[in-house]
Amino acid sequence: MDDLNDPYELSVGVPSAEVFRRLRTDAGLSDKSPEAVALALPNTWHAVVVHHGGEPVGMGRVIGDGGTAFQIVDICVHPAHQGRGLGKRIMAALTEELERRAPATAYVSLIADGPARSLYEKYGFADTAEHDSIGMYRVLGARSGLGGSRGGR
């Protein structure tokens, strides 16, 4: 899209807690408690927010230890703005910053839900099972053990 006619602006920065929670739920991701968000956002390694007419409509973050392990999280775009390449712009910005600042030996992971897998593959991410690994998760507070609740991210 021509930059002069592009109605979207991508900026570097961590969204506010209110924007974070709204974008997640608008995009169909699970909500997070205000207390959890207040703890999480200051620990962001890098983040971007996409604005349309001054209104936040998309975001993505990188979290991690700053040296050996990073995870791309919270990639979401408001449904009214999906299908316009904003997910690609968010991923490009995050992966460019990882390539620029993270050590070459760092491990970068993410969890791909449904069709988002094809987006992440365009940025060099591969199924961990192909590398003799398996992704696993646990939601704290969810029932554990056989037959426990699956929970949501």
Side-chain angles (χ1 to χ4, degrees):
M1 189 178 281
D2 187 329
D3 286 343
L4 297 175
N5 296 319
D6 185 356
Y8 296 99
E9 177 188 345
L10 185 140
S11 60
V12 172
V14 179
S16 69
E18 177 186 332
V19 167
F20 175 88
R21 292 183 70 212
R22 180 180 53 79
L23 285 175
R24 281 187 58 88
T25 57
D26 286 352
L29 300 178
S30 63
D31 194 7
K32 301 296 180 187
S33 74
E35 298 82 11
V37 173
L39 290 169
L41 292 180
N43 292 306
T44 300
W45 184 79
H46 185 72
V48 295
V49 179
V50 177
H51 293 85
H52 180 265
E55 182 70 21
V57 298
M59 68 175 178
R61 297 189 311 137
V62 177
I63 60 174
D65 64 14
T68 64
F70 297 86
Q71 187 174 27
I72 294 177
V73 296
D74 304 318
I75 304 292
C76 57
V77 175
H78 188 282
H81 299 274
Q82 291 176 1
R84 298 178 183 167
L86 299 178
K88 290 177 186 172
R89 287 170 69 171
I90 292 167
M91 278 301 295
L94 297 179
T95 55
E96 286 169 10
E97 189 66 12
L98 282 160
E99 290 169 2
R100 187 176 78 77
R101 286 198 305 151
T105 56
Y107 183 80
V108 182
S109 63
L110 57 78
I111 296 175
D113 292 328
R117 171 191 197 118
S118 64
L119 169 65
Y120 303 136
E121 287 172 342
K122 292 175 183 171
Y123 292 90
F125 289 87
D127 189 326
T128 59
E130 295 174 13
H131 301 282
D132 204 23
S133 293
I134 183 169
M136 300 178 79
Y137 78 99
R138 176 181 174 207
V139 177
L140 295 179
R143 294 177 53 189
S144 61
L146 293 177
S149 171
R150 180 167 179 226
R153 286 179 307 185

